[in-house]
Amino acid sequence: MYVYLVVFAGLWYLVWIKLIYDRHRHTFRKSLEQAMNVSSGRENDGADVRALIVTAHPDDECMFFAPTIIRLAELNARVHLLCLSEGNYYNQGAQRREELLSSCAVLGIPASRVTIIDHKKLPDDPKAEWSVSLVSSTVLNHINEHSINTVLTFDGSGVSGHANHVAIYKALSESSLSFPADCVLLSLETVGLLRKYLSFLDLPFSWLLPSHFCCVVGSKGYKQAKAAMLCHRTQLLWFRYLYITFSRYMFINTFQMIPQGPKNLKIY
């Protein structure tokens, strides 16, 4: 009896996931408009979106942001990638640079829209403290140069807790620089360990819990994200294959708004 109940509950859960995914496919444009605070009489086809994905290392783009990049590319949005290091921790920077370009091509970002920073103050090192002013000024210059209106990066926990990931969030949230008023800053939500490795089964939680922007891909998008990850051959240790198989970030991205406003405001 209990076996039948478990099977029935499992089947119903899968049906629920399918219904949520189908609904999300039809509401993604609306979700994008709301995140960008756009109100228009016509349906937004994505052509007005100029998005910048800011990452710390080659492979971040597919390990963490693949669903977002794929969905934005499907809408013909202009997607740029700014990677703040070559990933030279094991002296493989040149090779990882080429792997990143290959991965971006799979995801739909042409090489002309990929910028890789190689700066001594931004080393690929979890023990290094990145310069907040350097990161924020680099991002701001990129925003201005390409008329970016949507920036997507890590949150304060950096998904994996990597210090370089966290440094980007700090640079955007604590910077004294003023980002353009029409540019929305979004941070990729870090979830708990159980949800992180629920794969696509995390969809109901991601759908029901509040977020400012949600991106979901199906089996086709997952295969594309997996193909991008397989471009990073230097990173394909055994546990990466487990990540590719079980991580919800291969299927789902949820974002929260990074608040902007006066910094160091004093009230007397």
Side-chain angles (χ1 to χ4, degrees):
M1 180 64 178
Y2 291 111
V3 173
Y4 289 115
L5 288 175
V6 170
V7 171
F8 177 78
L11 290 174
W12 172 244
Y13 191 70
L14 292 176
V15 170
W16 190 27
I17 289 175
K18 180 64 167 60
L19 292 172
I20 293 174
Y21 173 69
D22 288 342
R23 183 181 177 188
H24 175 79
R25 289 179 62 191
H26 292 95
T27 60
F28 179 71
R29 288 184 177 88
K30 191 66 177 178
S31 175
L32 182 59
E33 289 178 357
Q34 290 174 348
M36 295 178 62
N37 197 25
V38 171
S39 179
S40 60
R42 61 181 177 80
E43 187 180 62
N44 185 4
D45 62 359
D48 295 332
V49 179
R50 298 175 299 280
L52 175 64
I53 313 294
V54 184
T55 62
H57 319 104
D59 77 9
D60 288 347
E61 79 291 340
C62 53
M63 283 187 67
F64 307 114
F65 295 93
T68 302
I69 296 172
I70 291 169
R71 292 307 309 274
L72 289 174
E74 287 176 352
L75 287 183
N76 297 315
R78 192 173 182 84
V79 183
H80 295 255
L81 177 76
L82 175 61
C83 184
L84 293 171
S85 82
E86 283 189 319
N88 201 38
Y89 189 69
Y90 293 107
N91 298 315
Q92 298 174 315
Q95 187 173 351
R96 296 196 67 187
R97 176 185 286 265
E98 295 304 314
E99 291 173 348
L100 174 58
L101 293 175
S102 297
S103 170
C104 285
V106 171
L107 293 174
I109 306 177
S112 60
R113 296 186 203 154
V114 178
T115 301
I116 305 169
I117 304 297
D118 180 21
H119 196 290
K120 63 180 180 180
K121 291 186 178 180
L122 302 175
D124 172 15
D125 187 344
K127 297 180 181 179
E129 186 173 343
W130 280 10
S131 166
V132 169
S133 60
L134 177 58
V135 173
S136 58
S137 62
T138 300
V139 174
L140 181 57
N141 289 339
H142 218 73
I143 290 172
N144 292 331
E145 181 180 354
H146 300 284
S147 301
I148 299 298
N149 55 20
T150 309
V151 175
L152 305 105
T153 191
F154 296 101
D155 69 1
S157 297
V159 180
S160 64
H162 198 295
N164 299 163
H165 297 179
V166 176
I168 302 175
Y169 176 80
K170 287 183 177 180
L172 297 187
S173 61
E174 300 176 7
S175 173
S176 59
L177 299 177
S178 296
F179 292 91
D182 62 346
C183 184
V184 177
L185 307 183
L186 296 167
S187 60
L188 180 64
E189 183 182 15
T190 298
V191 300
L193 193 63
L194 178 60
R195 284 186 59 197
K196 184 177 181 179
Y197 292 107
L198 271 181
S199 187
F200 65 89
L201 297 177
D202 182 61
L203 181 54
F205 301 102
S206 297
W207 182 260
L208 293 174
L209 294 174
S211 65
H212 286 107
F213 186 44
C214 179
C215 299
V216 179
V217 294
S219 58
K220 180 181 177 181
Y222 168 73
K223 291 176 182 177
Q224 191 175 348
K226 180 179 178 180
M229 186 62 211
L230 293 178
C231 292
H232 293 278
R233 296 186 179 183
T234 60
Q235 305 305 299
L236 293 179
L237 303 175
W238 65 270
F239 56 86
R240 297 288 190 200
Y241 291 98
L242 293 178
Y243 183 93
I244 291 171
T245 303
F246 295 107
S247 174
R248 56 92 76 171
Y249 291 96
M250 298 293 288
F251 290 92
I252 307 161
N253 288 161
T254 50
F255 293 87
Q256 302 293 344
M257 202 81 71
I258 300 177
Q260 295 295 297
K263 305 296 191 298
N264 302 319
L265 180 64
K266 296 181 180 180
I267 300 177
Y268 296 96

